[in-house]
Amino acid sequence: MLKYKERPQHLVPDGSGYQQEVYEGMSSDEIIEWAVETFGSKLALVTSFQVDGMVILDKAHRIDPNIRVLTVDTGRLPSETHELIDRVRDRYSCEIEVHFPDAEEISSLVTQHGANGFYRSSSIRMLCCEARKVTPLNQALKPFEAWISGLRRSQSVNRADIPKVEIDQAHGGITKLNPLAEWTHDEVWAYINENNVPYNDLYDKGYTSIGCAPCTRPIEPGEDARAGRWWWENGSLPKECGIHLSPAAVKTAIDENTNFTIQE
């Protein structure tokens, strides 16, 4: 464990100010502990209850049982995800703050494009993700100064360079923490199994990345771990909903359907 005085106390939005050398030398537990000590009640753990998020939730609960846990219910989640949320509540005796999309915005989206319009157009898919995921999370994060995500570098090429700690310009310049940035798929599952951490039953049915039910399928042997997300798209968009992208990148995707990468 790093001595507290050796840990960075503040972040400033320039490369040298991040003190990335220090962050990169900190373990996932140290990152979470530093965040809890630094931000207190202004820290949110945001999770969609995938295995990466469950590792973080388990670790964070050991460090601070009162850490605030947020999730977005898009209205299209699989029943298995709802069942897992109930198991998490029972296992950790924690309150999970569930945020929903704006009903009028969803009504307008479905009226204009249909319930499953995302299958016809990548731009409509991004609009759906924007309405059901991105906007609700933007609203949910407004009271906070920092949030924890489950991003890992090995999840996809678009995430290969994510830092452990960064300034999140997509959410008003608050601090974003990626404690598992350097973890591998095998390390995640080893932790899950060794600590008997609850996980989504869909993983036992061939799923490797789980989002909304209509936009997620099991993968085939040899496919990328995120190949089951938005599988019908032609590859011109990354396998991202927009939460981890800059607003400008999301707008570009909606307007032009061009390539872009994870915001840093």
Side-chain angles (χ1 to χ4, degrees), residues 81-105:
T81 300
H82 287 132
E83 292 165 2
L84 174 60
I85 293 173
D86 288 340
R87 282 189 280 141
V88 169
R89 285 194 180 98
D90 292 340
R91 166 71 177 270
Y92 298 99
S93 299
C94 64
E95 182 177 276
I96 297 169
E97 302 176 31
V98 183
H99 295 263
F100 295 90
D102 180 78
E104 289 187 6
E105 186 175 1

Side-chain angles (χ1 to χ4, degrees), residues 98-136:
V98 183
H99 295 263
F100 295 90
D102 180 78
E104 289 187 6
E105 186 175 1
I106 297 302
S107 176
S108 176
L109 177 72
V110 173
T111 297
Q112 184 173 1
H113 300 293
N116 296 324
F118 40 79
Y119 289 133
R120 300 195 308 272
S121 162
S122 294
S123 294
I124 295 175
R125 193 273 283 181
M126 289 301 296
L127 283 171
C128 187
C129 289
E130 177 84 1
R132 293 185 182 275
K133 293 183 178 182
V134 178
T135 299

Side-chain angles (χ1 to χ4, degrees), residues 20 35 99 146 167 185 211:
Q20 289 298 345
H99 295 263
I167 297 297
H185 169 271

Side-chain angles (χ1 to χ4, degrees), residues 44-254:
L45 190 167
V46 178
T47 182
S48 59
F49 300 96
Q50 298 192 66
V51 283
D52 318 278
M54 287 307 305
V55 168
I56 292 175
L57 194 153
D58 186 82
K59 284 176 169 286
H61 188 265
R62 295 168 189 262
I63 293 169
D64 178 11
N66 296 315
I67 191 168
R68 293 180 67 178
V69 180
L70 277 61
T71 193
V72 174
D73 187 334
T74 64
R76 303 297 298 268
L77 297 180
S79 60
E80 290 86 350
T81 300
H82 287 132
E83 292 165 2
L84 174 60
I85 293 173
D86 288 340
R87 282 189 280 141
V88 169
R89 285 194 180 98
D90 292 340
R91 166 71 177 270
Y92 298 99
S93 299
C94 64
E95 182 177 276
I96 297 169
E97 302 176 31
V98 183
H99 295 263
F100 295 90
D102 180 78
E104 289 187 6
E105 186 175 1
I106 297 302
S107 176
S108 176
L109 177 72
V110 173
T111 297
Q112 184 173 1
H113 300 293
N116 296 324
F118 40 79
Y119 289 133
R120 300 195 308 272
S121 162
S122 294
S123 294
I124 295 175
R125 193 273 283 181
M126 289 301 296
L127 283 171
C128 187
C129 289
E130 177 84 1
R132 293 185 182 275
K133 293 183 178 182
V134 178
T135 299
L137 182 61
N138 290 348
Q139 293 297 318
L141 286 176
K142 282 186 175 180
F144 296 95
E145 296 177 359
W147 67 293
I148 304 174
S149 89
L151 293 184
R152 292 188 297 106
R153 293 166 186 157
S154 63
Q155 286 170 335
S156 71
V157 64
N158 299 295
R159 300 178 176 184
D161 297 322
I162 58 169
K164 290 184 179 180
V165 180
E166 59 183 315
I167 297 297
D168 185 4
Q169 300 297 352
H171 296 100
I174 65 176
T175 302
K176 180 178 178 181
L177 304 108
N178 308 305
L180 301 187
E182 64 186 353
W183 281 44
T184 66
H185 169 271
D186 290 344
E187 287 173 323
V188 169
W189 277 103
Y191 185 95
I192 292 287
N193 293 324
E194 289 168 7
N195 294 278
N196 194 30
V197 177
Y199 63 87
N200 197 311
D201 290 341
L202 290 175
Y203 285 106
D204 294 332
K205 300 177 182 179
Y207 290 73
T208 52
S209 181
I210 302 167
C212 292
C215 302
T216 307
R217 65 158 173 80
I219 65 168
E220 300 294 334
E223 282 190 311
D224 180 83
R226 288 182 65 80
R229 304 292 290 275
W230 310 291
W231 68 91
W232 62 88
E233 294 183 341
N234 61 14
S236 62
L237 290 177
K239 300 289 187 175
E240 299 289 345
C241 64
I243 284 175
H244 302 293
L245 301 168
S246 70
V250 173
K251 185 177 186 303
T252 297
I254 293 173

